[in-house]
Amino acid sequence: MRVFPNGFGLILGLLTTFVVSWIWPLSNGSQEVLFSDWCSKFAVVLIFLIQGWNLKFDRLKTLGKSSFSLLRVHGLIFFGPLLIVFLFEYLGFLPEKWIEGFYFLAILPTTISSCVVYTAIAGGNSDVALGHATLSNILAIFWVPVGWILLSAGSEHSLPSQWITFGGEVLPDLFLLVVLPCIVGCKIKKTLKAGHSRKLTSISQMIAFSCILMLVYFAMSKNIMLFGRDYFGLLIIELLPFLLALMIFHTALGWWGNGVFSVDLEHRVAEFYCVGQKSLVMG
């Protein structure tokens, strides 16, 4: 299965998952919530076990060769969507009640799991995607509290405590769900002395994509159970034009910004998904 720019398998998979979760959402009982939480963590760990298995350090090393590339990609991740939201607000396009929500979406880091999986399926450099996405989540520990205080009603006196709280939430998950599985996957491959094969790579991509669909299903089910199908449907209808506009402008900005300066196609695809995967809602 191949996706943008080579096909629509990923879009079809996501749309199918949306429909299934809408018709048969997982209930919000205590056992079901516990089940979905553990399955979500398992899916993320499996994604990065696979990434660790496929990891090529020589490709990962290219990430730090250009400081301009790092500034460009992470500038587009954190400030690109924020500029678009400012523009929408100035033009009166965004309803006032949703502005703070869009501010928060704009300052979020890249979603590591979907960024890496989409890059791999699209034929990009998933190792570079992993490096950029991990770095953006580390930078977000410092940027998100500062950005939220500057943009919203936060108090600057609470900034140190917000850094500690946010870091306490992000860093353990980053290590346990991303870094550690990558190391374990890499070690397993070295122990087994396994080589790369096109068939094995294709199977691993399908497994990783299935994990993304599982995460989408659990996220959709949780929202449907939280708001109710009718109210959640109204929210989707109300928010869809604004989210779609932000996604289109942000996607165009990311593709243009990376396309002008990134010569290597695999790097360009990786940087594109790093910029575009603000969260699954943007994906």
Side-chain angles (χ1 to χ4, degrees):
M1 182 185 297
R2 298 189 69 81
V3 294
F4 177 81
N6 301 307
F8 296 96
L10 185 142
I11 296 174
L12 180 62
L14 288 173
L15 289 175
T16 302
T17 305
F18 290 154
V19 172
V20 170
S21 61
W22 186 266
I23 300 173
W24 299 292
L26 188 71
S27 65
N28 60 348
S30 57
Q31 290 185 342
E32 287 81 359
V33 170
L34 186 63
F35 172 77
S36 67
D37 286 344
W38 278 104
C39 282
S40 296
K41 286 182 172 63
F42 172 77
V44 174
V45 168
L46 185 56
I47 286 171
F48 291 104
L49 274 172
I50 292 170
Q51 181 60 29
W53 177 280
N54 293 321
L55 190 63
K56 298 177 183 176
F57 285 101
D58 56 330
R59 298 172 72 186
L60 187 60
K61 289 177 183 177
T62 61
L63 182 69
K65 286 185 176 180
S66 171
S67 56
F68 174 71
S69 175
L70 289 172
L71 289 172
R72 170 171 49 80
V73 172
H74 293 278
L76 288 170
I77 290 172
F78 291 113
F79 299 110
L82 195 56
L83 292 175
I84 296 169
V85 173
F86 283 152
L87 177 63
F88 285 176
E89 184 183 6
Y90 176 76
L91 297 174
F93 179 67
L94 282 177
E96 189 172 347
K97 64 178 180 178
W98 295 117
I99 287 175
E100 282 195 353
F102 276 85
Y103 278 157
F104 190 70
L105 177 61
I107 62 177
L108 288 177
T110 298
T111 304
I112 305 178
S113 54
S114 55
C115 165
V116 172
V117 173
Y118 293 174
T119 299
I121 297 176
N125 189 328
S126 58
D127 301 324
V128 168
L130 175 64
H132 276 306
T134 303
L135 179 58
S136 81
N137 278 259
I138 294 172
L139 293 174
I141 294 171
F142 304 98
W143 163 242
V144 171
V146 172
W148 188 240
I149 286 171
L150 292 174
L151 296 167
S152 187
S155 169
E156 62 182 7
H157 300 294
S158 64
L159 184 57
S161 63
Q162 288 187 41
W163 275 339
I164 293 170
T165 302
F166 199 55
E169 292 176 356
V170 172
L171 287 178
D173 283 349
L174 195 63
F175 178 74
L176 292 174
L177 301 180
V178 178
V179 177
L180 186 59
C182 278
I183 294 173
V184 171
C186 189
K187 289 291 185 182
I188 291 174
K189 184 177 180 180
K190 283 186 177 180
T191 302
L192 297 177
K193 296 181 180 179
H196 286 277
S197 73
R198 183 173 295 183
K199 184 177 181 180
L200 186 60
T201 300
S202 177
I203 292 172
S204 67
Q205 288 177 357
M206 289 295 294
I207 294 172
F209 182 46
S210 299
C211 290
I212 289 294
L213 296 183
M214 186 191 303
L215 295 173
V216 172
Y217 173 77
F218 288 140
M220 284 288 292
S221 296
K222 187 180 292 185
N223 281 288
I224 290 170
M225 291 294 103
L226 178 64
F227 295 107
R229 190 178 277 109
D230 292 340
Y231 183 57
F232 187 55
L234 291 174
L235 285 177
I236 290 175
I237 294 171
E238 183 177 354
L239 279 169
L240 186 60
F242 309 112
L243 283 171
L244 193 60
L246 179 59
M247 185 191 74
I248 290 171
F249 277 87
H250 189 212
T251 299
L253 180 64
W255 191 247
W256 174 82
N258 294 318
V260 169
F261 300 102
S262 184
V263 178
D264 186 281
L265 181 59
E266 289 188 354
H267 277 69
R268 183 179 181 183
V269 172
E271 292 170 355
F272 169 73
Y273 280 115
C274 286
V275 172
Q277 287 302 304
K278 294 293 287 187
S279 69
L280 281 178
V281 71
M282 286 294 288

